[in-house]
Amino acid sequence: MLSKSNISLLQSLQHKKFRREHGLFLVEGYKSVSEFINSAYQIEAVYHTANIAPKMLKLSQKMNFQEISSAILEKISALKNPADVIAVVKIPQWPVLNYTTLNKKFSIVLDAIQDPGNMGTIIRTADWFGIENIICSEDCVEVYNSKVVQATMGSLSRINVHYVDLPQVLSQINLPIYGALLDGENIYNANFGTEGLIVMGNEGNGLSEKVKQLVTKAITIPRAGNAESLNVAIATAIFCSEISRNKLK
């Protein structure tokens, strides 16, 4: 049985301030929890309802599993329709970004992405296409936000996400910088080569001026219809798909 203080702690993890203070975040749902259990992340505890207990025992014999009631789980869940299991996971101390690890591969760079759903979908997309690193500006939404974690469907457990002073870092990396812009080269004609950074901008404003000035090649997804803009997560998926297709040529 969880104490009132433990319930209060877990509820507080729905807020960035307390995630930072305690160095913890929540992962909800069997699939996502299982992904984190089988990753390098440190699991502090796993809370589950009785009906999922047999599955949890098959998943791992080493975890600190604790059975709780559905009513308690609803209190600590950040979801409108809570899953049957919630894990408390330690926020890792990421090492300083080593620029040499970005060579001979592609990485995604995000400039002021604000929507948790977009961030989560981008992380999941990166995982699908085998992209290991996502570099975020300091004003991007936090990846340990419950909505972001949920949207990644476990992919966050495999992707390195770095928060940096983006203009400063981009000015120091000696790689092609492909920026998603409206007045660039048609993405379907572009030659991406074998390495580089794919820079995606804010949902409403696109790339900031400081970041835009550091782009070495502007790339455009041509519009055939009448939509005013393209969702940044969808645009990122198109970039990843084209890069993957280019590799197979």
Side-chain angles (χ1 to χ4, degrees):
M1 189 70 180
L2 282 176
S3 67
K4 287 184 178 180
S5 61
N6 281 336
I7 291 173
S8 179
L9 168 63
L10 296 174
Q11 288 175 328
S12 75
L13 298 181
Q14 296 178 23
H15 305 282
K16 182 177 181 179
K17 173 185 174 182
F18 296 107
R19 287 194 293 271
R20 287 186 171 183
E21 180 179 321
H22 298 291
L24 300 170
F25 70 102
L26 300 179
V27 178
E28 303 196 41
Y30 180 79
K31 180 185 182 301
S32 293
V33 169
S34 64
E35 298 275 15
F36 276 90
I37 286 176
N38 292 307
S39 74
Y41 277 79
Q42 182 177 330
I43 312 297
E44 296 291 306
V46 179
Y47 302 101
H48 64 86
T49 55
N51 62 314
I52 201 174
K55 290 180 71 175
M56 301 312 299
L57 291 174
K58 289 180 181 179
L59 187 59
S60 173
Q61 298 292 328
K62 299 178 181 179
M63 289 291 107
N64 177 21
F65 292 125
Q66 295 186 44
E67 187 174 311
I68 59 175
S69 67
S70 296
I72 295 296
L73 189 137
E74 286 181 11
K75 285 185 177 181
I76 62 178
S77 173
L79 304 178
K80 289 183 179 179
N81 298 304
D84 291 317
V85 55
I86 296 178
V88 183
V89 185
K90 189 171 183 179
I91 295 175
Q93 294 295 318
W94 291 112
V96 176
L97 179 62
N98 183 345
Y99 300 161
T100 61
T101 63
L102 306 178
N103 294 337
K104 299 181 180 179
K105 64 183 69 170
F106 287 90
S107 302
I108 294 172
V109 177
L110 303 178
D111 185 12
I113 299 302
Q114 299 297 301
D115 183 80
N118 285 338
M119 176 66 84
T121 301
I122 289 170
I123 291 171
R124 192 174 175 187
T125 299
D127 189 24
W128 177 267
F129 284 99
I131 292 175
E132 301 170 3
N133 294 289
I134 295 179
I135 303 169
C136 300
S137 63
E138 294 170 327
D139 54 351
C140 278
V141 62
E142 180 212 17
V143 293
Y144 302 113
N145 176 301
S146 295
K147 292 180 180 179
V148 176
V149 175
Q150 190 68 18
T152 73
M153 293 296 291
S155 288
L156 178 59
S157 66
R158 290 180 291 271
I159 302 297
N160 304 317
V161 182
H162 303 273
Y163 285 82
V164 302
D165 181 330
L166 197 52
Q168 181 183 27
V169 166
L170 291 180
S171 67
Q172 295 173 352
I173 297 178
N174 187 27
L175 286 171
I177 300 175
Y178 300 97
L181 293 164
L182 292 175
D183 55 352
E185 180 181 357
N186 187 323
I187 190 172
Y188 303 116
N189 299 327
N191 179 7
F192 287 98
T194 59
E195 61 182 359
L197 305 177
I198 307 301
V199 189
M200 311 302 295
N202 173 267
E203 290 90 343
N205 302 314
L207 297 182
S208 62
E209 287 303 316
K210 287 184 178 180
V211 169
K212 195 182 297 184
Q213 291 171 12
L214 296 166
V215 168
T216 56
K217 191 168 186 178
I219 303 292
T220 295
I221 300 171
R223 179 173 60 179
N226 297 312
E228 182 182 353
S229 61
L230 190 62
N231 174 273
V232 66
I234 298 297
T236 303
I238 292 171
F239 269 82
C240 290
S241 179
E242 275 305 294
I243 288 168
S244 180
R245 188 177 68 85
N246 271 256
K247 287 180 181 179
L248 298 176
K249 286 182 178 180

